[in-house]
Amino acid sequence: KQHFSSFCKSEMKKINISKTISAAEVESVCYELDIRTTISNSLLPSQLYNQKMKDYTVENGKWIIAQQFGIENGVKIDESINEAVKNSHFAFMPKGGVAYPRRHVPGKEMNIYSTLPLTIPSYMPVHVNGHFSLQTEDRRHLSMDEEYENPGYKSLWNLLVMERIVAPSYVTLLEKMKEEISTTGPDSNVQSQL
């Protein structure tokens, strides 16, 4: 994870210097993350009766996370995106990924994030995160153009992130899960959700 973070920073420098998205190398990473949140009992009124309890730990669970930085060579990047980057109108990182909870709760809605959660469900069994272009009015929705025949660079950017960064990350996650299933045996929860 540290290597991936350092890689992203160095590649963003290349993009900023060259003023082109395709200057960045591509790097993918897939790892498991165990998220635990510790909350002081003073924040939990239902726990106040237990004076012996100093901390209350909530296990949020284990997640499998797959991320990608960069766009594969040979992918055509719309000229309007390149122009926006060249003219410094656009400073988004070509980065995105997916997160799958090990203990998936059927019916639990997964969402799309652009660092913070948006009001958009992912309609997949994973959370999706990417450096998306957001509407300036509320910062809660993706930039989308009304005119589908001639979309602007922000809409094209969001499409590029979904197709060329998030989708390959999802494939990486599925390959990791397939590998786990083949080595440890079938897990009905994993197989049914993916």
Side-chain angles (χ1 to χ4, degrees):
K1 293 183 288 188
Q2 291 291 4
H3 167 74
F4 185 71
S5 178
S6 298
F7 176 85
C8 293
K9 287 177 187 172
S10 69
E11 292 304 306
M12 269 313 288
K13 287 178 187 174
K14 286 183 189 176
I15 291 171
N16 290 332
I17 291 168
S18 69
K19 299 289 186 185
T20 178
I21 296 291
S22 57
E25 299 286 322
V26 176
E27 177 83 10
S28 295
V29 64
C30 190
Y31 56 92
E32 187 167 303
L33 182 64
D34 190 1
I35 300 174
R36 295 178 184 265
T37 307
T38 303
I39 303 169
S40 169
N41 68 355
S42 63
L43 299 176
L44 296 170
S46 63
Q47 298 294 326
L48 286 176
Y49 70 90
N50 189 348
Q51 298 300 318
K52 294 178 187 175
M53 180 183 268
K54 297 205 181 197
D55 287 315
Y56 179 72
T57 302
V58 178
E59 181 177 332
N60 292 326
K62 294 182 182 197
W63 293 74
I64 299 175
I65 298 170
Q67 293 180 303
Q68 179 177 308
F69 183 94
I71 298 166
E72 293 289 333
N73 285 333
V75 171
K76 185 180 181 308
I77 297 173
D78 191 270
E79 193 53 41
S80 64
I81 294 172
N82 286 328
E83 271 307 305
V85 171
K86 252 184 239 173
N87 297 328
S88 301
H89 297 299
F90 200 63
F92 290 96
M93 285 195 290
K95 181 180 173 189
V98 295
Y100 175 76
R102 285 285 191 182
R103 292 188 189 130
H104 185 78
V105 177
K108 180 172 176 4
E109 189 173 83
M110 301 306 223
N111 295 311
I112 295 179
Y113 292 74
S114 187
T115 306
L116 297 172
L118 304 177
T119 58
I120 308 164
S122 71
Y123 299 108
M124 298 166 38
V126 294
H127 286 304
V128 171
N129 188 23
H131 270 233
F132 296 108
S133 174
L134 304 178
Q135 291 179 350
T136 55
E137 300 84 41
D138 64 4
R139 311 272 312 148
R140 305 273 301 151
H141 298 91
L142 296 177
S143 293
M144 299 299 277
D145 292 313
E146 299 291 322
E147 200 176 317
Y148 292 109
E149 292 82 34
N150 190 18
Y153 70 88
K154 292 179 179 182
S155 292
L156 292 170
W157 173 259
N158 289 338
L159 188 59
L160 185 71
V161 170
M162 287 299 287
E163 289 180 348
R164 300 300 181 169
I165 298 171
V166 172
S169 295
Y170 191 48
V171 169
T172 299
L173 179 112
L174 292 172
E175 288 170 346
K176 169 90 170 142
M177 298 306 294
K178 180 182 174 188
E179 180 183 302
E180 284 186 16
I181 290 169
S182 67
T183 57
T184 61
D187 176 348
S188 60
N189 185 41
V190 170
Q191 284 183 320
S192 67
Q193 296 305 317
L194 297 175

